[in-house]
Amino acid sequence: DAGVTQSPTHLIKTRGQQVTLRCSPKSGHDTVSWYQQALGQGPQFIFQYYEEEERQRGNFPDRFSGHQFPNYSSELNVNALLLGDSALYLCASSLVGRGEQFFGPGTRLTVL
Amino acid sequence: AQRVTQPEKLLSVFKGAPVELKCNYSYSGSPELFWYVQYSRQRLQLLLRHISRESIKGFTADLNKGETSFHLKKPFAQEEDSAMYYCALSTAGGTSYGKLTFGQGTILTVHP
C-alpha cells in the first residue's frame, strides 16, 4: 500500500487561473480531508468528503470546491487564484468518524 | 470553536536531555488529541494519540483535562528526534466527522 498519494507534486499558476489537485486515499479508507498549509503555519482544514458529499467545511471561500469519486479518490479545485493561495495542500484519508488521519506528501502550489 | 496552542515555535536541547513540547487546547466537548511529526523531507505522520496511551519512539503524552493540556515528553532526547511536531485536536463524533485542528508547530532540534 503506497498510502495516500497526491498529484501533482508541484504546480505554478498565475492569478485568476483555476487549479485542480488530486488525491488517492490509503487503501480501505473512505473519508478524505483537505488542508492548506501556509509557510510556517500548521495545516488549516478546508473540507472533508465522505460518501461523495462534503460533510464539513472550514473557513474557506466558495472558490475552494471539491469532489469525491465512487472509488473514494478526491479532487480539490480552486478558482480565481490569488497570490495568498500559494501554499502546500495536504490530503488526508481516514475511516469515517475517526480522528486518526493519514497524510499525503502534499502539492506545492505557487501563484504568481 | 476549538483551538490548539503550541507556545514554543523553537525548542533546542542536547542529546540525552529530557524534552517537553507543550500543547494546550480549548474545546467545550470531549476531544481526541494527537501528536503528529514531520521529519525533514518526509510527510506528516501520526506519532501518538491520547486514546491509545502508548509510548512511541520513547515519547509519551498525557491528556490533562483540568489544565486542557497534552504535552509531549521524552526522558532522553536523541538526534533523530529533530523534527517539526504538531499537536492536533479532533472533534470526532456527533456531526463533526473528525476534522483536525492543528497548532502552529514546534521545531525540535537535538544537538549532539
Side-chain angles (χ1 to χ4, degrees):
Chain A
D1 180 17
V4 180
T5 60
Q6 292 185 244
S7 63
T9 305
H10 297 90
L11 207 49
I12 299 175
K13 292 286 187 179
T14 56
R15 281 178 296 175
Q17 285 189 312
Q18 178 265 343
V19 68
T20 297
L21 311 182
R22 295 177 176 82
C23 170
S24 290
K26 182 178 168 65
S27 178
H29 284 181
D30 54 14
T31 302
V32 173
S33 302
W34 286 92
Y35 295 82
Q36 181 194 66
Q37 186 174 21
L39 205 60
Q41 305 292 320
Q44 297 287 316
F45 177 76
I46 302 175
F47 42 52
Q48 185 178 81
Y49 277 84
Y50 170 66
E51 290 188 330
E52 302 179 48
E53 288 187 11
E54 182 183 294
R55 293 294 175 138
Q56 196 174 14
R57 189 178 184 93
N59 190 25
F60 280 81
D62 292 344
R63 298 186 296 109
F64 289 77
S65 63
H67 189 77
Q68 185 180 35
F69 299 93
N71 66 353
Y72 307 118
S73 67
S74 177
E75 287 181 351
L76 163 66
N77 301 291
V78 187
N79 294 322
L81 284 166
L82 303 173
L83 295 179
D85 295 331
S86 295
L88 181 68
Y89 288 85
L90 298 170
C91 170
S93 73
S94 60
L95 288 171
V96 63
R98 293 288 302 272
E100 181 178 341
Q101 297 184 13
F102 293 79
F103 284 81
T107 294
R108 173 73 62 187
L109 172 65
T110 302
V111 182
L112 302 176
Chain B
Q2 54 271 18
R3 186 171 184 164
V4 176
T5 303
Q6 294 179 248
E8 305 134 330
K9 194 134 181 98
L10 301 169
L11 186 61
S12 289
V13 300
F14 286 99
K15 177 182 173 182
V19 62
E20 181 179 47
L21 290 83
K22 291 184 168 53
C23 172
N24 291 93
Y25 68 90
S26 63
Y27 178 58
S28 56
S30 292
E32 280 190 68
L33 272 297
F34 303 84
W35 277 98
Y36 280 83
V37 61
Q38 187 166 31
Y39 301 103
S40 179
R41 285 187 283 276
Q42 293 188 26
R43 67 181 66 189
L44 200 58
Q45 57 186 280
L46 179 66
L47 180 61
L48 51 79
R49 56 190 302 187
H50 89 269
I51 287 179
S52 58
R53 300 184 64 82
E54 56 189 348
S55 172
I56 304 292
K57 299 183 179 182
F59 285 97
T60 59
D62 289 317
L63 179 60
N64 186 323
K65 292 187 177 180
E67 296 182 358
T68 58
S69 68
F70 188 56
H71 302 327
L72 183 68
K73 300 176 184 178
K74 185 170 183 176
F76 307 103
Q78 303 299 314
E79 289 178 68
E80 55 264 31
D81 296 328
S82 295
M84 171 72 92
Y85 291 80
Y86 290 100
C87 182
L89 179 155
S90 171
T91 58
T95 59
S96 296
Y97 300 103
K99 160 190 170 181
L100 280 174
T101 299
F102 285 86
Q104 298 281 69
T106 297
I107 299 172
L108 173 65
T109 303
V110 181
H111 299 283

